[in-house]
Amino acid sequence: MSAGSRKPLVFYGLSSEGLGPATRARTLVGALSQHYEVHVFCNGRVFDFLKHHVARIHRTYAVNLIYRDNAFYLFPTVLRHALRFPLMLASGLQMLFRILLAKPVAIISDFEYGTAWMGALAGRKVISFDNQNVLKFARLPEPETPAAVRARDLVLGTIAINNPFSRK
């Protein structure tokens, strides 16, 4: 748990490439916030969108692809990230130290590799919503109240329904 909070702490790392994950996160963070203190980590347009809807949001620095006229531009993307590499490295280290100090009960990675890798490196539970399957799935600690159990079952049930690969 975080200092001064009675709710368990959860970190939610979010892909910043497109607004689909941001739309999903807005709903999930609202549901999870009833029983957990949720901190969201993202950048770019996703940060700009969610900062109006999420109480605890933190800017990160990660890879964002460059497009012009709906076409991917490789060289400008590589150049931008070569120049931004120190910021991206610092952002990853900052995430690792936040995880080590705050000790969240779980880290949710929604198509975002940085928080998943830092969470695994720190030995924390990682729940991954992605098609990369880089890490094993983990579970949030069992809620204590009947209302918390119902909320957890609703969130996990929604995830299972929307996941064609889930095992029931």
Side-chain angles (χ1 to χ4, degrees):
M1 286 193 222
S2 65
S5 173
R6 294 177 55 195
K7 294 181 180 180
L9 180 63
V10 171
F11 283 3
Y12 195 120
L14 194 52
S15 169
S16 296
E17 202 57 45
L19 292 176
T23 304
R24 174 178 47 247
R26 183 177 171 192
T27 303
L28 282 173
V29 168
L32 288 169
S33 293
Q34 294 176 21
H35 304 287
Y36 299 92
E37 179 181 320
V38 182
H39 288 251
V40 176
F41 297 86
C42 58
N43 72 70
R45 291 185 319 148
V46 171
F47 179 87
D48 294 336
F49 170 73
L50 286 177
K51 70 183 179 185
H52 303 291
H53 307 288
V54 175
R56 296 173 186 94
I57 188 165
H58 309 276
R59 185 181 297 275
T60 61
Y61 293 91
V63 174
N64 289 104
L65 306 177
I66 297 175
Y67 295 91
R68 285 202 186 110
D69 298 323
N70 211 26
F72 170 64
Y73 273 64
L74 177 63
F75 183 72
T77 300
V78 171
L79 181 61
R80 172 201 271 170
H81 296 302
L83 296 172
R84 290 180 67 190
F85 181 76
L87 280 175
M88 292 165 47
L89 180 61
S91 183
L93 290 173
Q94 181 183 42
M95 172 62 67
L96 177 61
F97 287 119
R98 282 182 185 215
I99 293 168
L100 290 170
L101 292 173
K103 297 180 175 34
V105 295
I107 296 161
I108 299 172
S109 173
D110 194 338
F111 279 83
E112 200 282 324
Y113 60 89
T115 52
W117 291 351
M118 293 304 116
L121 189 60
R124 305 311 297 175
K125 294 178 182 181
V126 176
I127 300 169
S128 182
F129 302 144
D130 64 30
N131 58 1
Q132 301 166 45
N133 299 308
V134 176
L135 302 169
K136 295 181 180 180
F137 290 95
R139 296 182 67 164
L140 288 170
E142 294 296 321
E144 298 176 11
T145 65
V149 170
R150 286 192 302 277
R152 186 223 39 224
D153 291 346
L154 174 66
V155 170
L156 294 178
T158 301
I159 293 166
I161 289 169
N162 292 321
N163 179 0
F165 305 107
S166 69
R167 296 180 191 166
K168 295 182 180 180

